[in-house]
């Protein structure tokens, strides 16, 4: 019998297809260790078949709860509300188009039980394209290495995290920092002396396609990145020289042609 109960949160919005959602949902429902509470966050209007599926499954599984928003508010906003609503201190984060390995929750909860000092626990991911492994995203395992890299790249795969509710709330919870909701939160947790760790295991299969790269290119994305850097600077997490340095590096990458961005992601930004 597990001493520690936990919640799982699963956001869904209008672009998620029924096939993607079913794959993600069943990867949660078929876990070796089930969550005591699954909070599905419906972020504004979603596809009718997805909505019908969710309501059908809610009737079947009593541990499913819904948090419904009348309009699309974005990931940072809905996760902020969800964390407050979660009943248990341990929370697993899931994505509606990613697939969790069957043993994911069991492995992460076992690790957290044995290492109570860890506040945020992630893992490696397989990045999947057309149902085949496109690349592997291997993260630094130990806290010291994670915080050394945090200024240059996001050191935690968001869809793999298992964290403590009290840690998230103490740090100030998620904020609406589009594309960087999790990355900004890690800085806040670090500032509050939170401890990070990544399991050296591939616990999630993450879907990527051409839209994955398109979202990470162009002037709009550059504006979001600059907003993120300004948030870091205004919170005294980085200084003005770091803002210019980091912006210059990202500017070079973001404004490249899409085919070059793909090559750099696969050959230099992945292991």
């Amino acid at each position: 019998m597990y001493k520690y109960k936990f919640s799982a949160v699963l956001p869904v919005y209008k672009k998620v297809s029924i096939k993607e959602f079913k794959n993600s949902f069943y990867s949660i429902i078929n876990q070796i260790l089930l969550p005591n509470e699954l909070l599905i966050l419906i972020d504004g209007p979603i596809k009718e078949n997805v909505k019908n599926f969710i309501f059908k499954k809610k009737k079947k599984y009593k541990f499913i709860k819904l948090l419904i928003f009348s309009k699309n508010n974005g990931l940072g906003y809905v996760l902020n509300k969800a964390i407050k609503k979660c009943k248990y201190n341990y929370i697993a984060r899931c994505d509606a188009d990613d697939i969790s390995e069957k043993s994911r929750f069991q492995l992460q909860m076992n690790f957290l039980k044995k290492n109570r000092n860890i506040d945020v626990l992630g893992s490696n991911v397989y990045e999947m394209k057309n149902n085949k492994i496109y690349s592997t995203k291997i993260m630094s395992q130990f806290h010291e290495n994670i915080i050394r890299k945090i200024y240059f790249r996001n050191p935690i795969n968001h869809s793999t995290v298992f964290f403590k509710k009290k840690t998230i709330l103490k740090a100030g919870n998620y904020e609406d920092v589009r594309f960087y909701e999790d990355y900004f939160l890690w800085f806040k947790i670090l500032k509050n002396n939170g401890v990070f760790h990544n399991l050296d295991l591939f616990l999630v299969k993450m879907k990527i396609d051409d839209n994955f790269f398109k979202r990470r290119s162009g002037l709009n994305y550059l504006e979001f990145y600059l907003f993120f850097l300004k948030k870091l600077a205004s919170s005294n997490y980085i200084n003005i020289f770091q803002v210019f340095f980091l912006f210059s590096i990202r500017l070079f990458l973001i404004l490249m042609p899409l085919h070059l961005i793909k090559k750099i992601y696969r050959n230099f930004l992945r292991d």
Side-chain angles (χ1 to χ4, degrees):
M1 195 70 178
Y2 276 75
K3 179 180 177 182
Y4 300 112
K5 295 182 177 182
F6 70 99
S7 303
V9 295
L10 178 62
V12 56
Y13 76 123
K14 63 183 179 181
K15 290 187 178 181
V16 176
S17 71
I18 185 63
K19 182 180 179 181
E20 290 170 341
F21 187 79
K22 281 185 175 181
N23 287 338
S24 176
F25 177 83
Y26 285 125
S27 79
I28 297 169
I29 292 299
N30 293 325
Q31 287 285 308
I32 295 171
L33 178 64
L34 283 173
N36 302 91
E37 171 187 61
L38 173 59
L39 190 55
I40 299 178
L41 322 176
I42 302 178
D43 188 14
I46 58 175
K47 290 180 170 60
E48 195 67 23
N49 54 1
V50 176
K51 184 175 74 172
N52 292 338
F53 177 82
I54 290 172
F55 278 89
K56 180 180 177 181
K57 295 304 177 183
K58 184 183 183 299
K59 289 181 180 179
K60 181 176 180 180
Y61 299 101
K62 302 304 179 185
F63 61 90
I64 291 179
K65 298 179 182 177
L66 304 182
L67 191 55
I68 302 173
F69 300 88
S70 59
K71 65 176 183 177
N72 179 259
N73 293 279
L75 187 60
Y77 180 90
V78 298
L79 285 177
N80 179 290
K81 301 299 181 185
I83 298 302
K84 295 173 185 175
K85 290 278 187 182
C86 284
K87 185 176 179 181
Y88 303 103
N89 185 43
Y90 287 101
I91 302 173
R93 242 283 288 158
C94 306
D95 267 338
D97 55 358
D98 294 341
I99 299 172
S100 293
E101 296 293 339
K102 194 171 184 178
S103 60
R104 177 194 162 190
F105 293 166
Q106 183 187 53
L107 290 167
Q108 289 185 298
M109 181 53 80
N110 282 344
F111 185 86
L112 289 169
K113 283 172 63 180
K114 295 174 184 176
N115 300 272
R116 299 186 191 184
N117 64 312
I118 302 298
D119 295 289
V120 178
L121 177 65
S123 78
N124 303 328
V125 299
Y126 288 121
E127 292 178 318
M128 310 295 293
K129 189 174 183 181
N130 299 323
N131 296 317
K132 295 180 180 179
I133 297 174
Y134 178 80
S135 54
T136 57
K137 195 175 178 186
I138 300 174
M139 314 306 283
S140 295
Q141 190 173 353
F142 299 103
H143 178 78
E144 294 76 15
N145 295 328
I146 289 170
I147 62 174
R148 272 200 293 267
K149 290 186 176 181
I150 197 169
Y151 294 96
F152 302 101
R153 61 184 298 191
N154 191 333
I156 304 286
N157 289 314
H158 196 198
S159 62
T160 72
V161 293
F162 214 120
F163 46 45
K164 294 176 181 175
K165 175 179 178 176
K166 63 181 182 182
T167 297
I168 305 304
L169 294 180
K170 182 182 176 184
N173 209 341
Y174 282 94
E175 294 185 38
D176 185 16
V177 186
R178 190 171 176 188
F179 293 114
Y180 299 96
E181 299 91 351
D182 56 322
Y183 202 177
F184 188 63
L185 179 61
W186 309 151
F187 275 96
K188 293 166 68 174
I189 291 171
L190 179 61
K191 187 76 170 181
N192 277 271
N193 301 311
V195 180
F196 298 87
H197 190 87
N198 282 307
L199 294 178
D200 190 21
L201 299 167
F202 291 89
L203 298 183
V204 173
K205 293 177 180 176
M206 180 187 298
K207 176 199 164 189
I208 64 169
D209 53 20
D210 284 346
N211 287 328
F212 173 88
F213 298 102
K214 287 177 182 177
R215 289 195 301 269
R216 288 157 176 79
S217 62
L219 292 176
N220 283 340
Y221 186 74
L222 194 61
E223 288 180 13
F224 290 127
Y225 184 62
L226 184 57
F227 177 76
F228 165 63
L229 292 179
K230 287 179 177 178
K231 286 276 289 184
L232 290 177
S234 65
S235 302
N236 295 317
Y237 299 147
I238 61 175
N239 59 44
I240 191 65
F241 299 105
Q242 290 171 305
V243 170
F244 283 112
F245 176 71
L246 294 171
F247 182 76
S248 299
I249 294 174
R250 193 61 65 103
L251 176 67
F252 174 73
L253 178 62
I254 288 175
L255 297 184
M256 280 184 171
L258 193 61
H259 71 280
L260 289 180
I261 292 175
K262 289 181 182 179
K263 285 186 178 180
I264 288 175
Y265 262 87
R266 190 169 189 179
N267 298 320
F268 298 101
L269 299 180
R270 297 294 182 264
D271 295 287

